[in-house]
């Protein structure tokens, strides 16, 4: 009787072990997730150059020793820290009605190529969207598309998580650039 109980317990143990393994293998399959929200927005950055105070939306607030704060530093702008409060539009026209503001900073952090580190928030205040979306990540500027992380938000975007793909849509020297931001949120509350 005791050997039968032990035999039955062993079979039962291996049966449950099999079930747990097959269940884990099914969950281990990668399935392509679809975003729960998708936005395409543009933000327009006009850096202060000493002559455009009325139109400027960003300013150099720190520069390498010997550099000034109206001209980006030589050698890939390494060491410059820029803060911005840029208009966000639904299309690529700077003069379109803004749907919000992009507020934050970028830090040029590589000597050997154009690259910046971004930390910013989209503050959206339109009839379609109310709230903020927070972004953070590296921006290797010479790449056609770059991904940065969406790390949170408020309002319509409370606790959002996802990816934002940045594309330089236009630039005029070192005074103006426009980024197209393709936002795909995978966690929406």
């Amino acid at each position: 009787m005791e050997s039968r109980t032990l035999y039955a317990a062993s079979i039962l143990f291996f049966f449950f072990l099999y079930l747990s393994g097959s269940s884990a293998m099914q969950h281990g399959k990668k399935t392509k997730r679809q975003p729960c929200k998708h936005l395409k927005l543009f933000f327009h950055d006009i850096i202060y150059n000493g002559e455009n105070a009325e139109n400027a939306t960003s300013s150099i607030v720190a520069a390498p020793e010997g550099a000034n704060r109206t001209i980006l530093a030589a050698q890939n702008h390494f060491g410059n820290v820029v803060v911005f409060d840029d208009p966000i539009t639904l299309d690529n026209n700077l003069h379109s009605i803004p749907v919000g503001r992009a507020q934050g900073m970028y830090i040029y952090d590589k000597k050997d190529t154009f690259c910046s580190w971004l930390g910013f928030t989209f503050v959206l205040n339109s009839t379609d969207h109310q709230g903020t979306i927070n972004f953070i990540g590296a921006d290797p500027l010479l790449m056609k598309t770059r991904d940065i992380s969406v790390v949170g938000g408020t309002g319509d975007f409370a606790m959002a998580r996802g990816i934002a793909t940045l594309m330089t849509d236009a630039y005029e020297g070192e005074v103006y650039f426009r980024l197209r931001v393709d936002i795909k949120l995978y966690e929406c509350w």
Side-chain angles (χ1 to χ4, degrees), residues 86-100:
D86 297 337
I88 302 169
T89 59
L90 295 174
D91 60 21
N92 62 4
N93 186 345
L94 172 61
H95 302 292
S96 292
I97 297 172
V99 295

Side-chain angles (χ1 to χ4, degrees), residues 19-180:
L19 284 179
S20 67
S22 65
S23 173
M25 289 183 351
Q26 288 175 354
H27 293 303
K29 290 182 183 177
K30 294 210 177 214
T31 58
K32 187 169 177 157
R33 293 179 62 191
Q34 296 298 317
C36 49
K37 283 189 183 175
H38 188 188
L39 297 148
K40 289 183 184 175
L41 301 168
F42 294 82
F43 79 90
H44 310 264
D45 189 80
I46 305 168
I47 197 159
Y48 175 69
N49 66 1
E51 300 174 10
N52 61 349
E54 293 218 8
N55 296 328
T57 61
S58 64
S59 180
I60 302 167
V61 296
E65 187 174 337
N68 69 46
R69 288 189 288 198
T70 58
I71 301 171
L72 290 166
Q75 194 174 8
N76 302 311
H77 311 318
F78 179 73
N80 281 131
V81 177
V82 179
V83 297
F84 60 91
D85 181 15
D86 297 337
I88 302 169
T89 59
L90 295 174
D91 60 21
N92 62 4
N93 186 345
L94 172 61
H95 302 292
S96 292
I97 297 172
V99 295
R101 305 292 293 181
Q103 299 171 328
M105 69 175 165
Y106 49 96
I107 302 168
Y108 289 99
D109 60 352
K110 286 192 96 174
K111 282 184 174 183
D112 58 349
T113 187
F114 286 103
C115 186
S116 64
W117 180 88
L118 299 169
F120 65 98
T121 300
F122 275 7
V123 181
L124 299 169
N125 189 16
S126 70
T127 55
D128 293 332
H129 299 292
Q130 297 282 320
T132 65
I133 306 172
N134 302 311
F135 306 87
I136 195 167
D139 183 15
L141 299 165
L142 298 178
M143 294 180 67
K144 183 175 181 175
T145 63
R146 298 89 69 188
D147 290 333
I148 61 172
S149 300
V150 174
V151 296
T154 64
D156 293 344
F157 309 99
M159 297 178 26
R161 302 285 184 277
I163 298 292
T165 302
L166 307 177
M167 291 154 273
T168 304
D169 191 56
Y171 65 92
E172 294 176 19
E174 295 181 342
V175 176
Y176 172 78
F177 68 85
R178 177 177 59 234
L179 290 182
R180 176 180 168 188

Side-chain angles (χ1 to χ4, degrees), residues 10-27:
S10 297
I11 289 179
L12 203 54
F13 171 77
F14 285 112
F15 177 73
F16 284 116
L17 186 64
Y18 171 76
L19 284 179
S20 67
S22 65
S23 173
M25 289 183 351
Q26 288 175 354
H27 293 303

